[in-house]
Amino acid sequence: MRKLLSEYPWVRGKARRASGPVTCHTIMSVSIVSTEAKNIVEVAVGLFFDTDGKVLVAQRPEHVHQGGKWEFPGGKVHADEPIEQALQRELLEELGVQTNSASFLMRCQHEYSDCSVVLHVFRITDYEGNVVGMENQPVAWVYPADLAKYEFPDADRTILDTLLLPDIYAITPSDYKTVDELCRMVSNAIERGISLLQFRNHSIDDATYIQQARALSDLCHGKGARLILNREPSMVEQCGAHGVHLASKYLKSYTKRPLPENYIVAASCHNEQELKLASSLGASFVLISPVKKTASHPHTVPIGWDGFRSLKSGSGLPAYALGGMNLEDCAEARCNGAVGVAMIRGVWCDQDTDLASS
């Protein structure tokens, strides 16, 4: 029997049902205290996912700041309290669960008129207990795509955007012969569960690239997928795409975000300097590579999961792991702080797995 991508329990690109017992993955966020004159609030937040891909949210009491709005469970970090201890304490107090391990996912900051909030987001890879509203707060399990129906504090906007990123970021191969062949491959991949696609082909001229990008854009819009162009940012609107992917060698060419906030800006990074550049440009997410040895760059030494985790811990941006990745690597990637994996061969070369049918 051939498998759908959506049959892998860690693929969250589309809403789906999963069989078997419910297990949860958690993301946490925490802010840091500063000596700035404006009050900086330190908060620990946890996001729980069940096997259907739903995330846990809770409603704030009416009498507190941002009262009545929905949020990801958590609370303030005490003065001089270690971050990990705050995470454990807050989730135990609010949800009745004991957190055993977590991996760093992202960091974001928001300025209110009366305070500043810096959120550090972690994924919880192991916890004990059943989720209960210990303070009688209303809780709900919601698909990420449906979170827009709930009112959240502005500080949570970046987390909400990140939750809409799928576990797999597919990158097109360049060995197709015609645009029709390319569209058939992409259509098949979308049917298998791919919802975020980078169109990458450096072997064709701009005019041909634009023609093919427009065809892919029409296809992706019709099937509910998002298309990212690995080309000049100016082509994005021209082709009707959803964003741009910046190669690491071009990061220094920009002094500000090359597209408005409603577009995705992704970037390839291999070191701390490139990650800092991507952050300064307001990148939506980054690709960190190479995690494993690749056929395309056999002489490049991979950084391994330790190297990925080290680079990731110094960056506040959501990150995909790239380099020798396969579908089976996604769970390990998430345990090491990645949103998921970026793949070329892992998506297109497994011809034995026709993921359009079970």
Side-chain angles (χ1 to χ4, degrees):
M1 299 291 286
R2 295 176 175 180
K3 284 188 175 182
L4 290 164
L5 274 182
S6 57
E7 290 182 50
Y8 288 88
W10 28 259
V11 177
R12 299 198 310 268
K14 291 184 177 180
R16 65 197 180 280
R17 298 291 176 182
S19 60
V22 173
T23 58
C24 297
H25 302 284
T26 308
I27 299 170
M28 309 242 175
S29 26
V30 181
S31 64
I32 304 177
V33 172
S34 156
T35 57
E36 298 285 339
K38 181 184 284 189
N39 180 37
I40 296 186
V41 182
E42 188 167 345
V43 182
V45 181
L47 306 179
F48 290 76
F49 293 94
D50 64 15
T51 53
D52 285 340
K54 294 178 180 178
V55 62
L56 182 70
V57 295
Q59 192 171 32
R60 294 177 61 81
E62 291 290 345
H63 65 277
V64 301
H65 182 256
Q66 304 286 320
K69 295 183 179 180
W70 292 81
E71 65 177 1
F72 305 112
K76 294 182 181 179
V77 179
H78 295 163
D80 301 323
E81 183 180 26
I83 296 297
E84 293 81 0
Q85 181 177 321
L87 297 176
Q88 292 178 340
R89 176 183 55 76
E90 286 294 339
L91 290 185
L92 183 61
E93 291 176 358
E94 292 200 4
L95 301 175
V97 298
Q98 175 64 49
T99 304
N100 295 328
S101 62
S103 57
F104 179 67
L105 182 65
M106 62 178 287
R107 179 172 56 251
C108 54
Q109 182 169 349
H110 182 78
E111 301 293 333
Y112 290 105
S113 60
D114 58 342
C115 67
S116 177
V117 178
V118 182
L119 302 175
H120 290 227
V121 184
F122 292 77
R123 188 191 311 276
I124 297 303
T125 53
D126 185 37
Y127 71 92
E128 300 174 13
N130 296 319
V131 174
V132 177
M134 301 295 288
E135 299 170 349
N136 296 318
Q137 70 273 34
V139 298
W141 292 92
V142 183
Y143 285 115
D146 292 331
L147 289 172
K149 301 175 183 178
Y150 294 73
E151 186 179 9
F152 282 82
D154 290 340
D156 288 344
R157 300 304 341 161
T158 302
I159 299 175
L160 292 167
D161 290 341
T162 302
L163 289 177
L164 294 177
L165 292 175
D167 287 343
I168 298 173
Y169 181 28
I171 304 171
T172 60
S174 56
D175 57 355
Y176 57 89
K177 295 180 174 59
T178 67
V179 65
D180 288 340
E181 179 186 357
L182 173 63
C183 287
R184 284 195 298 270
M185 293 168 58
V186 170
S187 178
N188 177 265
I190 295 173
E191 291 300 322
R192 289 150 54 193
I194 292 298
S195 62
L196 185 63
L197 176 79
Q198 179 195 142
F199 178 32
R200 179 182 182 272
N201 190 340
H202 300 310
S203 66
I204 57 179
D205 59 35
D206 285 350
T208 303
Y209 184 91
I210 290 172
Q211 178 190 24
Q212 295 182 0
R214 284 173 170 167
L216 289 180
S217 178
D218 290 343
L219 176 63
C220 288
H221 279 288
K223 291 181 174 290
R226 289 181 285 180
L227 177 67
I228 310 300
L229 303 187
N230 192 319
R231 214 72 167 198
E232 286 295 321
S234 60
M235 293 183 183
V236 170
E237 187 173 358
Q238 183 180 359
C239 297
H242 296 82
V244 68
H245 188 97
L246 304 176
S248 57
K249 61 183 178 181
Y250 297 128
L251 289 175
K252 290 183 179 179
S253 303
Y254 300 95
T255 58
K256 62 180 182 179
R257 199 176 202 269
L259 291 173
E261 291 295 329
N262 57 317
Y263 287 97
I264 292 173
V265 174
S268 293
C269 298
H270 309 89
N271 54 52
E272 291 182 9
Q273 181 183 12
E274 291 171 354
L275 285 167
K276 289 180 180 178
L277 287 171
S279 181
S280 70
L281 296 176
S284 308
F285 61 85
V286 295
L287 273 60
I288 296 178
S289 69
V291 177
K292 295 183 179 181
K293 196 169 186 178
T294 66
S296 59
H297 300 85
H299 303 298
T300 301
V301 178
I303 61 174
W305 288 116
D306 287 343
F308 176 90
R309 194 166 55 250
S310 176
L311 286 174
K312 182 69 189 65
S313 65
S315 168
L317 295 171
Y320 283 93
L322 174 67
M325 295 289 99
N326 292 300
L327 296 174
E328 292 75 14
D329 291 311
C330 198
E332 186 170 9
R334 291 174 66 184
C335 286
N336 283 280
V339 173
V341 297
M343 300 186 296
I344 303 177
R345 289 175 175 80
V347 173
W348 314 103
C349 293
D350 188 359
Q351 299 301 319
D352 293 332
T353 305
D354 181 1
L355 302 175
S357 61
S358 57

